[in-house]
Amino acid sequence: MKKIILSAILFAAAVAGYAQRPDKLEIGPYEVEYFGEGDYKARLRKGIDLYKYFDLKRDTVIKKNVIMPNPKSESNPVKCGIQASVFMSLPRFAVSGNSNMFGVSGSWKQQFGKKYYWNAGLSLGYLYGEYSSPSYREDAMIEVGIPLSVEFACLDYKKSSVYAGIGLTPTFYSTLKADEIDENGATVNGEKDSGFLIAPRVDFGGYIPLSKHILRVGIFAEYKINCSGDVNIYKERIGRAFVGANVGIIF
């Protein structure tokens, strides 16, 4: 009975030893004992000099190539910002003379949706004009407005883009100086007008990344609808349809 049990034990040990016998492989300069997936032993073969095998010099430094991201390809969209601009405009169809407007504006820009921005701010314009009818008149006016608009743009600190906007500007206007020439050729003080108008407006242009800011360059057109006064001075004298250009920066 003891002989039978001993024989069984020896047989089981032999089978187990055979089952654990690894496959011996030569891979490049290495000997590998492979037992199964994830279970192996590797060592350098005898008589192998890696410098000679790979034809290396003793001062060889092996570097790993790492692909660095291109900063220019990165995206950094604008969520919100402050926009400051200067602008110049003139009436497309002057009624009885000519005038020019120069001004500055500032607005808060807030993103909503993926490519849309809401703009709201304050503008100050200086309008100087010379008119010939019904008599010669030279005047200077100010316009204080609250520009409100919705803008479509892919605004990004890393990439250039174009934009298009639509909005309106409620505006208070007032005459600072008015000189007229009467029938005798004398210069007299003309009537000073003030009131309120609304100007629907469209904008087109582009954004250009500029260091940590964004340059804004564009053109616009607006139509001034006078809402007060006995005489519509924009219809009768100044002109209502204005076109202009602006340059600004976004912080």
Side-chain angles (χ1 to χ4, degrees), residues 152-192:
F152 174 82
C154 299
L155 193 53
D156 196 293
Y157 285 108
K158 299 291 185 179
K159 300 177 181 179
S160 299
S161 67
V162 296
Y163 70 86
I166 185 171
L168 56 85
T169 307
T171 302
F172 168 78
Y173 66 87
S174 180
T175 303
L176 299 178
K177 181 189 73 169
D179 292 333
E180 292 184 352
I181 296 180
D182 61 14
E183 297 177 353
N184 299 320
T187 301
V188 297
N189 293 326
E191 183 179 354
K192 295 182 178 181

Side-chain angles (χ1 to χ4, degrees), residues 12-32:
V15 172
Y18 179 78
Q20 294 295 322
R21 183 178 298 171
D23 293 327
K24 293 186 177 181
L25 307 172
E26 290 188 1
I27 301 176
Y30 300 97
E31 290 180 350
V32 179

Side-chain angles (χ1 to χ4, degrees), residues 20-231:
Q20 294 295 322
R21 183 178 298 171
D23 293 327
K24 293 186 177 181
L25 307 172
E26 290 188 1
I27 301 176
Y30 300 97
E31 290 180 350
V32 179
E33 292 183 359
Y34 184 73
F35 297 92
E37 184 177 354
D39 188 7
Y40 63 91
K41 294 180 180 179
R43 60 180 175 270
L44 194 64
R45 300 199 327 249
K46 292 182 179 180
I48 295 295
D49 186 337
L50 287 179
Y51 287 97
K52 292 181 180 180
Y53 189 90
F54 289 109
D55 193 22
L56 300 174
K57 296 181 180 180
R58 292 287 174 177
D59 59 351
T60 298
V61 177
I62 299 175
K63 295 183 179 180
K64 183 178 181 180
N65 292 329
V66 178
I67 300 176
M68 299 299 293
N70 184 359
K72 294 185 178 180
S73 66
E74 296 177 356
S75 178
N76 185 12
V78 176
K79 301 297 182 182
C80 61
I82 297 175
Q83 176 179 295
S85 304
V86 295
F87 65 87
M88 179 269 182
S89 65
L90 49 84
R92 179 65 181 85
F93 302 103
V95 178
S96 61
N98 61 81
S99 59
N100 294 279
M101 171 168 281
F102 304 90
V104 296
S105 67
S107 63
W108 173 262
K109 184 179 295 290
Q110 178 66 53
Q111 184 182 40
F112 69 96
K114 188 175 180 180
K115 297 181 180 180
Y116 293 92
Y117 290 84
W118 167 253
N119 301 312
L122 186 68
S123 66
L124 175 63
Y126 177 82
L127 177 66
Y128 175 80
E130 295 181 356
Y131 313 98
S132 57
S133 178
S135 60
Y136 178 82
R137 177 185 173 98
E138 179 181 321
D139 64 18
M141 299 175 58
I142 61 167
E143 292 184 359
V144 180
I146 303 175
L148 308 171
S149 67
V150 174
E151 184 179 293
F152 174 82
C154 299
L155 193 53
D156 196 293
Y157 285 108
K158 299 291 185 179
K159 300 177 181 179
S160 299
S161 67
V162 296
Y163 70 86
I166 185 171
L168 56 85
T169 307
T171 302
F172 168 78
Y173 66 87
S174 180
T175 303
L176 299 178
K177 181 189 73 169
D179 292 333
E180 292 184 352
I181 296 180
D182 61 14
E183 297 177 353
N184 299 320
T187 301
V188 297
N189 293 326
E191 183 179 354
K192 295 182 178 181
D193 303 286
S194 63
F196 178 78
L197 63 85
I198 294 178
R201 170 172 171 150
V202 292
D203 286 86
F204 301 95
Y207 289 109
I208 304 171
L210 185 66
S211 184
K212 296 181 180 180
H213 308 299
I214 300 177
L215 180 67
R216 184 180 195 265
V217 180
I219 58 175
F220 65 90
E222 60 184 352
Y223 189 82
K224 299 185 178 184
I225 304 172
N226 195 359
C227 302
S228 60
D230 296 332
V231 178

